[in-house]
């Protein structure tokens, strides 16, 4: 649990962190992620979720793209903030 706490604390402090969660089917990954999401929400972080499937293995960033797209489009102010950090070519890709 120390790695989870460190990653969540880093996010609260505005720093990046990465956790890799892997295991065999039935090992409890989904339950662990649910608990991690609950813990992060308690720390007032935004939690973005997307389900993946074996069919998506050929598109490794599909889930990330989907969840970020939904998050940005549901928060116009965040979309404008992100767009302000990008150049003209990247801004047009957001629309």
């Amino acid at each position: 649990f120390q790695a989870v706490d460190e990653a969540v604390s880093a996010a609260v402090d505005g720093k990046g962190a990465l956790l890799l969660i892997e295991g065999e089917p039935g090992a409890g990954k989904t339950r662990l992620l649910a608990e991690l999401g609950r813990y992060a929400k308690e720390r007032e972080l935004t939690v973005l979720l997307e389900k993946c499937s074996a069919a998506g293995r050929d598109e490794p960033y599909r889930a990330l793209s989907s969840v970020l797209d939904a998050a940005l489009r549901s928060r116009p102010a965040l979309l404008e903030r992100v767009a302000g950090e990008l150049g003209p070519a990247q801004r047009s890709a957001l629309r």
Side-chain angles (χ1 to χ4, degrees), residues 19-91:
L19 292 172
L20 173 63
I21 300 172
E22 60 183 343
E24 297 297 319
K29 298 179 299 293
T30 301
R31 174 67 189 264
L32 177 60
L33 289 172
E35 291 299 318
L36 174 56
R38 181 191 56 74
Y39 180 64
K41 286 179 182 178
E42 287 175 358
R43 305 278 306 267
E44 299 183 7
L45 294 172
T46 300
V47 176
L48 306 173
L49 302 172
E50 180 68 28
K51 286 200 169 223
C52 299
S53 68
R57 288 182 201 206
D58 294 337
E59 301 174 59
Y61 297 106
R62 183 170 149 193
L64 178 61
S65 175
S66 177
V67 75
L68 290 177
D69 182 60
L72 289 173
R73 293 190 191 288
S74 68
R75 295 173 181 84
L78 178 58
L79 180 58
E80 289 304 315
R81 194 168 115 205
V82 169
E85 298 293 324
L86 303 174
Q90 291 96 354
R91 278 196 293 274

